[in-house]
């Protein structure tokens, strides 16, 4: 099985930087994903990490440390439209199917003017 | 438009009824999924099909039955609906390959099911 923990809520100011952490426990790590979900909408893919290090994609970056079971999503130059839930998801090769993703409960980010 | 589309978007029904949710993807993906998102926002896998074959079947009541007529469609039929079935149900698809960008899931817009 897997445990995925992330903060329930975070608040930040427009233009600032925010880091959303995710810790996980898994027996067969095979990749970590970050998704963004606006209220009432579908989750959309943001980033993927399978090796240690930082992956940068515009204003968003994601970091992974496999030895620590830890990832973070870094959002720079926050905009009001970044207010959403951010979901951490882990793929486990020891699960019934290596295609299966297990999601955390999400971090609700509120960006204030 | 290339997408994962599911219908209906909203479904309100009474306990005991039987209902279906349809899902179609035109992305050419080989694998399709059903996820349930409860009121606490947990997204939990229910089923996964790869090329019309069931590959994941989590602990889901057998009142839920997926059907995949072809690899572009995965429908969900629910019998004898209960209050606890109220949730948002998301269909998703992904390429078969596990290489490259990690084969992210592409989600449909969800079906909000309310059982009264």
């Amino acid at each position: 099985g897997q445990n995925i923990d992330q903060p329930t809520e975070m608040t930040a100011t427009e233009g600032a930087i925010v880091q959303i952490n995710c810790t996980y426990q898994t027996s067969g790590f095979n990749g970590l994903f970050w998704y963004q979900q606006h209220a009432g909408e579908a989750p959309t893919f943001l980033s993927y990490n399978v090796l240690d290090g930082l992956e940068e994609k515009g204003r968003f970056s994601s970091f992974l440390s496999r030895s620590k079971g830890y990832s973070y999503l870094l959002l720079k130059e926050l905009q009001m439209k970044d207010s959403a839930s951010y979901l951490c998801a882990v793929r486990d090769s020891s699960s019934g199917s290596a295609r299966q993703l297990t999601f955390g409960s999400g971090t609700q980010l509120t960006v204030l003017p | 438009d290339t997408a994962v589309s599911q219908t209906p978007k909203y479904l309100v029904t009474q306990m005991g009824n039987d209902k279906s949710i349809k899902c179609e993807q035109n992305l050419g993906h080989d694998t399709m999924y059903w996820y349930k998102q409860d009121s606490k926002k947990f997204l939990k896998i229910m089923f996964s099909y790869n090329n019309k074959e069931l590959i994941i079947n989590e602990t889901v009541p057998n009142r839920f039955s997926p059907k995949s007529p072809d690899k572009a469609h995965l429908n969900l039929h629910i019998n004898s609906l209960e209050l606890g079935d109220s949730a948002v149900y998301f269909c998703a698809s992904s390429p078969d390959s596990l290489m490259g960008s990690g084969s992210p899931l592409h989600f449909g817009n969800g079906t909000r099911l309310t059982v009264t």
Side-chain angles (χ1 to χ4, degrees):
Chain A
Q2 300 170 60
N3 290 317
I4 301 175
D5 291 312
Q6 47 182 133
T8 305
E9 296 177 328
M10 297 185 73
T11 303
T13 306
E14 196 174 13
I17 299 173
V18 71
Q19 178 175 310
I20 302 174
N21 296 326
C22 172
T23 58
Y24 63 88
Q25 294 173 314
T26 182
S27 50
F29 178 81
N30 193 22
L32 185 143
F33 296 76
W34 283 96
Y35 282 80
Q36 180 191 60
Q37 185 177 24
H38 285 100
E41 296 184 10
T44 55
F45 169 71
L46 287 178
S47 69
Y48 168 69
N49 296 71
V50 68
L51 299 176
D52 291 350
L54 189 68
E55 294 283 341
E56 297 188 74
K57 207 186 259 189
R59 293 189 300 115
F60 293 2
S61 305
S62 57
F63 172 84
L64 175 68
S65 169
R66 288 172 296 172
S67 62
K68 295 181 180 177
Y70 168 69
S71 173
Y72 67 73
L73 179 69
L74 193 71
L75 292 77
K76 302 176 186 175
E77 301 168 16
L78 279 172
Q79 302 174 10
M80 300 295 289
K81 67 177 182 179
D82 296 330
S83 292
S85 181
Y86 291 85
L87 307 171
C88 175
V90 173
R91 176 173 283 148
D92 184 351
S93 61
S94 66
S95 68
S97 166
R99 299 175 183 86
Q100 181 175 342
L101 281 188
T102 299
F103 284 82
S105 59
T107 298
Q108 182 63 46
L109 174 66
T110 302
V111 180
L112 302 175
Chain B
D1 289 345
T2 54
V4 180
S5 57
Q6 56 182 107
T7 56
K9 187 170 174 64
Y10 299 97
L11 186 52
V12 181
T13 188
Q14 292 184 326
M15 283 175 57
N17 284 347
D18 303 339
K19 291 293 179 186
S20 292
I21 308 172
K22 295 185 177 181
C23 179
E24 174 182 6
Q25 56 93 6
N26 60 5
L27 297 165
H29 291 167
D30 291 314
T31 307
M32 295 185 72
Y33 311 78
W34 278 108
Y35 276 83
K36 178 181 180 180
Q37 189 170 43
D38 61 22
S39 57
K40 295 184 179 178
K41 305 301 181 188
F42 266 109
L43 258 176
K44 190 169 181 184
I45 183 93
M46 298 175 70
F47 301 102
S48 174
Y49 272 72
N50 179 256
N51 276 318
K52 302 195 300 175
E53 284 192 34
L54 180 66
I55 55 172
I56 296 174
N57 182 359
E58 290 296 307
T59 307
V60 175
N62 57 15
R63 298 181 295 105
F64 290 79
S65 52
K67 283 187 172 50
S68 182
D70 54 62
K71 76 172 193 177
H73 296 83
L74 180 62
N75 303 322
L76 184 65
H77 188 76
I78 316 170
N79 289 328
S80 304
L81 278 156
E82 300 178 357
L83 292 176
D85 297 333
S86 295
V88 181
Y89 292 84
F90 284 99
C91 177
S93 71
S94 68
D96 186 53
S97 170
L98 301 178
M99 304 299 291
S101 63
S103 303
L105 297 180
H106 296 255
F107 285 89
N109 285 328
T111 296
R112 182 173 293 276
L113 171 66
T114 304
V115 183
T116 62

